[in-house]
PDB file of all heavy atoms in Angstrom:
ATOM      1  N   THR A  93      83.773  43.616 127.837  1.00  0.00           N
ATOM      2  CA  THR A  93      83.985  44.324 126.559  1.00  0.00           C
ATOM      3  C   THR A  93      82.784  45.203 126.228  1.00  0.00           C
ATOM      4  O   THR A  93      82.945  46.278 125.657  1.00  0.00           O
ATOM      5  CB  THR A  93      84.285  43.349 125.395  1.00  0.00           C
ATOM      6  OG1 THR A  93      83.277  42.356 125.355  1.00  0.00           O
ATOM      7  CG2 THR A  93      85.631  42.699 125.539  1.00  0.00           C
ATOM      8  N   SER A  94      81.567  44.771 126.605  1.00  0.00           N
ATOM      9  CA  SER A  94      80.377  45.599 126.339  1.00  0.00           C
ATOM     10  C   SER A  94      80.439  46.884 127.162  1.00  0.00           C
ATOM     11  O   SER A  94      80.040  47.955 126.690  1.00  0.00           O
ATOM     12  CB  SER A  94      79.084  44.856 126.672  1.00  0.00           C
ATOM     13  OG  SER A  94      79.002  43.682 125.919  1.00  0.00           O
ATOM     14  N   ALA A  95      80.962  46.779 128.406  1.00  0.00           N
ATOM     15  CA  ALA A  95      81.072  47.979 129.243  1.00  0.00           C
ATOM     16  C   ALA A  95      82.027  48.979 128.598  1.00  0.00           C
ATOM     17  O   ALA A  95      81.820  50.189 128.650  1.00  0.00           O
ATOM     18  CB  ALA A  95      81.566  47.585 130.636  1.00  0.00           C
ATOM     19  N   GLU A  96      83.043  48.463 127.924  1.00  0.00           N
ATOM     20  CA  GLU A  96      84.057  49.335 127.320  1.00  0.00           C
ATOM     21  C   GLU A  96      83.615  49.862 125.953  1.00  0.00           C
ATOM     22  O   GLU A  96      83.815  51.037 125.632  1.00  0.00           O
ATOM     23  CB  GLU A  96      85.354  48.517 127.186  1.00  0.00           C
ATOM     24  CG  GLU A  96      86.569  49.324 126.817  1.00  0.00           C
ATOM     25  CD  GLU A  96      87.798  48.415 126.617  1.00  0.00           C
ATOM     26  OE1 GLU A  96      87.806  47.271 127.143  1.00  0.00           O
ATOM     27  OE2 GLU A  96      88.721  48.862 125.923  1.00  0.00           O
ATOM     28  N   LEU A  97      83.012  48.985 125.148  1.00  0.00           N
ATOM     29  CA  LEU A  97      82.771  49.325 123.737  1.00  0.00           C
ATOM     30  C   LEU A  97      81.297  49.398 123.348  1.00  0.00           C
ATOM     31  O   LEU A  97      80.974  49.673 122.195  1.00  0.00           O
ATOM     32  CB  LEU A  97      83.440  48.267 122.828  1.00  0.00           C
ATOM     33  CG  LEU A  97      84.936  48.052 123.013  1.00  0.00           C
ATOM     34  CD1 LEU A  97      85.384  46.795 122.294  1.00  0.00           C
ATOM     35  CD2 LEU A  97      85.704  49.261 122.468  1.00  0.00           C
ATOM     36  N   GLY A  98      80.410  49.114 124.285  1.00  0.00           N
ATOM     37  CA  GLY A  98      78.987  49.014 123.933  1.00  0.00           C
ATOM     38  C   GLY A  98      78.666  47.580 123.590  1.00  0.00           C
ATOM     39  O   GLY A  98      79.567  46.746 123.452  1.00  0.00           O
ATOM     40  N   PRO A  99      77.363  47.276 123.471  1.00  0.00           N
ATOM     41  CA  PRO A  99      76.973  45.873 123.257  1.00  0.00           C
ATOM     42  C   PRO A  99      77.541  45.308 121.953  1.00  0.00           C
ATOM     43  O   PRO A  99      77.806  46.051 121.009  1.00  0.00           O
ATOM     44  CB  PRO A  99      75.444  45.931 123.203  1.00  0.00           C
ATOM     45  CG  PRO A  99      75.098  47.361 123.015  1.00  0.00           C
ATOM     46  CD  PRO A  99      76.225  48.187 123.516  1.00  0.00           C
ATOM     47  N   ILE A 100      77.711  44.002 121.950  1.00  0.00           N
ATOM     48  CA  ILE A 100      78.212  43.333 120.740  1.00  0.00           C
ATOM     49  C   ILE A 100      77.110  43.380 119.678  1.00  0.00           C
ATOM     50  O   ILE A 100      75.979  42.946 119.920  1.00  0.00           O
ATOM     51  CB  ILE A 100      78.553  41.855 121.060  1.00  0.00           C
ATOM     52  CG1 ILE A 100      79.508  41.726 122.263  1.00  0.00           C
ATOM     53  CG2 ILE A 100      79.088  41.139 119.827  1.00  0.00           C
ATOM     54  CD1 ILE A 100      80.897  42.242 122.077  1.00  0.00           C
ATOM     55  N   ASP A 101      77.429  43.905 118.505  1.00  0.00           N
ATOM     56  CA  ASP A 101      76.471  43.944 117.388  1.00  0.00           C
ATOM     57  C   ASP A 101      76.621  42.733 116.477  1.00  0.00           C
ATOM     58  O   ASP A 101      75.678  42.339 115.797  1.00  0.00           O
ATOM     59  CB  ASP A 101      76.710  45.205 116.525  1.00  0.00           C
ATOM     60  CG  ASP A 101      76.525  46.484 117.316  1.00  0.00           C
ATOM     61  OD1 ASP A 101      75.396  46.741 117.750  1.00  0.00           O
ATOM     62  OD2 ASP A 101      77.527  47.209 117.525  1.00  0.00           O
ATOM     63  N   VAL A 102      77.850  42.223 116.419  1.00  0.00           N
ATOM     64  CA  VAL A 102      78.161  41.119 115.496  1.00  0.00           C
ATOM     65  C   VAL A 102      78.955  40.071 116.263  1.00  0.00           C
ATOM     66  O   VAL A 102      79.971  40.397 116.886  1.00  0.00           O
ATOM     67  CB  VAL A 102      79.043  41.625 114.313  1.00  0.00           C
ATOM     68  CG1 VAL A 102      79.451  40.474 113.407  1.00  0.00           C
ATOM     69  CG2 VAL A 102      78.349  42.726 113.527  1.00  0.00           C
ATOM     70  N   LEU A 103      78.472  38.837 116.233  1.00  0.00           N
ATOM     71  CA  LEU A 103      79.240  37.729 116.811  1.00  0.00           C
ATOM     72  C   LEU A 103      79.663  36.802 115.679  1.00  0.00           C
ATOM     73  O   LEU A 103      78.812  36.353 114.904  1.00  0.00           O
ATOM     74  CB  LEU A 103      78.380  36.935 117.809  1.00  0.00           C
ATOM     75  CG  LEU A 103      78.965  35.569 118.230  1.00  0.00           C
ATOM     76  CD1 LEU A 103      80.267  35.725 119.027  1.00  0.00           C
ATOM     77  CD2 LEU A 103      77.940  34.771 119.049  1.00  0.00           C
ATOM     78  N   VAL A 104      80.948  36.528 115.599  1.00  0.00           N
ATOM     79  CA  VAL A 104      81.421  35.515 114.649  1.00  0.00           C
ATOM     80  C   VAL A 104      81.924  34.330 115.461  1.00  0.00           C
ATOM     81  O   VAL A 104      82.977  34.396 116.113  1.00  0.00           O
ATOM     82  CB  VAL A 104      82.539  36.063 113.721  1.00  0.00           C
ATOM     83  CG1 VAL A 104      82.938  34.985 112.702  1.00  0.00           C
ATOM     84  CG2 VAL A 104      82.095  37.338 113.007  1.00  0.00           C
ATOM     85  N   ASN A 105      81.142  33.263 115.469  1.00  0.00           N
ATOM     86  CA  ASN A 105      81.536  32.015 116.130  1.00  0.00           C
ATOM     87  C   ASN A 105      82.513  31.305 115.210  1.00  0.00           C
ATOM     88  O   ASN A 105      82.110  30.585 114.287  1.00  0.00           O
ATOM     89  CB  ASN A 105      80.310  31.109 116.335  1.00  0.00           C
ATOM     90  CG  ASN A 105      79.422  31.570 117.456  1.00  0.00           C
ATOM     91  OD1 ASN A 105      79.906  31.884 118.543  1.00  0.00           O
ATOM     92  ND2 ASN A 105      78.121  31.604 117.207  1.00  0.00           N
ATOM     93  N   ASN A 106      83.790  31.561 115.435  1.00  0.00           N
ATOM     94  CA  ASN A 106      84.799  31.014 114.520  1.00  0.00           C
ATOM     95  C   ASN A 106      85.680  29.948 115.158  1.00  0.00           C
ATOM     96  O   ASN A 106      86.113  29.018 114.491  1.00  0.00           O
ATOM     97  CB  ASN A 106      85.673  32.158 113.988  1.00  0.00           C
ATOM     98  CG  ASN A 106      86.928  31.635 113.315  1.00  0.00           C
ATOM     99  OD1 ASN A 106      86.888  31.170 112.180  1.00  0.00           O
ATOM    100  ND2 ASN A 106      88.058  31.665 114.022  1.00  0.00           N
ATOM    101  N   ALA A 107      85.960  30.067 116.464  1.00  0.00           N
ATOM    102  CA  ALA A 107      86.877  29.099 117.098  1.00  0.00           C
ATOM    103  C   ALA A 107      86.357  27.691 116.846  1.00  0.00           C
ATOM    104  O   ALA A 107      85.160  27.431 116.986  1.00  0.00           O
ATOM    105  CB  ALA A 107      86.968  29.368 118.604  1.00  0.00           C
ATOM    106  N   GLY A 108      87.257  26.789 116.460  1.00  0.00           N
ATOM    107  CA  GLY A 108      86.756  25.453 116.132  1.00  0.00           C
ATOM    108  C   GLY A 108      87.869  24.442 116.002  1.00  0.00           C
ATOM    109  O   GLY A 108      88.787  24.429 116.816  1.00  0.00           O
ATOM    110  N   ASN A 109      87.758  23.634 114.981  1.00  0.00           N
ATOM    111  CA  ASN A 109      88.670  22.498 114.780  1.00  0.00           C
ATOM    112  C   ASN A 109      88.660  21.615 116.030  1.00  0.00           C
ATOM    113  O   ASN A 109      87.605  21.320 116.563  1.00  0.00           O
ATOM    114  CB  ASN A 109      90.086  22.978 114.418  1.00  0.00           C
ATOM    115  CG  ASN A 109      90.108  23.596 113.029  1.00  0.00           C
ATOM    116  OD1 ASN A 109      89.414  23.140 112.138  1.00  0.00           O
ATOM    117  ND2 ASN A 109      90.892  24.634 112.855  1.00  0.00           N
ATOM    118  N   ALA A 110      89.848  21.246 116.537  1.00  0.00           N
ATOM    119  CA  ALA A 110      89.888  20.391 117.727  1.00  0.00           C
ATOM    120  C   ALA A 110      90.024  21.215 118.993  1.00  0.00           C
ATOM    121  O   ALA A 110      90.319  20.679 120.058  1.00  0.00           O
ATOM    122  CB  ALA A 110      91.031  19.394 117.605  1.00  0.00           C
ATOM    123  N   GLY A 111      89.832  22.549 118.882  1.00  0.00           N
ATOM    124  CA  GLY A 111      89.867  23.400 120.059  1.00  0.00           C
ATOM    125  C   GLY A 111      91.192  23.330 120.778  1.00  0.00           C
ATOM    126  O   GLY A 111      92.253  23.419 120.158  1.00  0.00           O
ATOM    127  N   ALA A 112      91.105  23.135 122.082  1.00  0.00           N
ATOM    128  CA  ALA A 112      92.300  23.206 122.914  1.00  0.00           C
ATOM    129  C   ALA A 112      93.173  21.952 122.818  1.00  0.00           C
ATOM    130  O   ALA A 112      94.223  21.890 123.441  1.00  0.00           O
ATOM    131  CB  ALA A 112      91.866  23.420 124.361  1.00  0.00           C
ATOM    132  N   ASP A 113      92.760  20.965 122.064  1.00  0.00           N
ATOM    133  CA  ASP A 113      93.479  19.696 122.069  1.00  0.00           C
ATOM    134  C   ASP A 113      93.952  19.299 120.673  1.00  0.00           C
ATOM    135  O   ASP A 113      93.275  18.563 119.949  1.00  0.00           O
ATOM    136  CB  ASP A 113      92.545  18.607 122.631  1.00  0.00           C
ATOM    137  CG  ASP A 113      93.273  17.293 122.772  1.00  0.00           C
ATOM    138  OD1 ASP A 113      94.479  17.233 122.433  1.00  0.00           O
ATOM    139  OD2 ASP A 113      92.640  16.323 123.204  1.00  0.00           O
ATOM    140  N   PRO A 114      95.130  19.787 120.265  1.00  0.00           N
ATOM    141  CA  PRO A 114      95.620  19.488 118.921  1.00  0.00           C
ATOM    142  C   PRO A 114      95.869  17.994 118.699  1.00  0.00           C
ATOM    143  O   PRO A 114      95.991  17.544 117.563  1.00  0.00           O
ATOM    144  CB  PRO A 114      96.928  20.283 118.812  1.00  0.00           C
ATOM    145  CG  PRO A 114      97.229  20.819 120.159  1.00  0.00           C
ATOM    146  CD  PRO A 114      96.043  20.621 121.053  1.00  0.00           C
ATOM    147  N   ASP A 115      95.941  17.211 119.787  1.00  0.00           N
ATOM    148  CA  ASP A 115      96.178  15.767 119.619  1.00  0.00           C
ATOM    149  C   ASP A 115      94.879  14.982 119.467  1.00  0.00           C
ATOM    150  O   ASP A 115      94.886  13.749 119.432  1.00  0.00           O
ATOM    151  CB  ASP A 115      96.937  15.207 120.834  1.00  0.00           C
ATOM    152  CG  ASP A 115      98.286  15.885 120.996  1.00  0.00           C
ATOM    153  OD1 ASP A 115      98.873  16.245 119.958  1.00  0.00           O
ATOM    154  OD2 ASP A 115      98.722  16.064 122.147  1.00  0.00           O
TER     155      ASP A 115
END
Side-chain angles (χ1 to χ4, degrees):
T93 52
S94 301
E96 191 184 339
L97 303 167
I100 307 293
D101 299 295
V102 176
L103 167 66
V104 183
N105 285 313
N106 166 78
N109 291 324
D113 185 0
D115 300 327

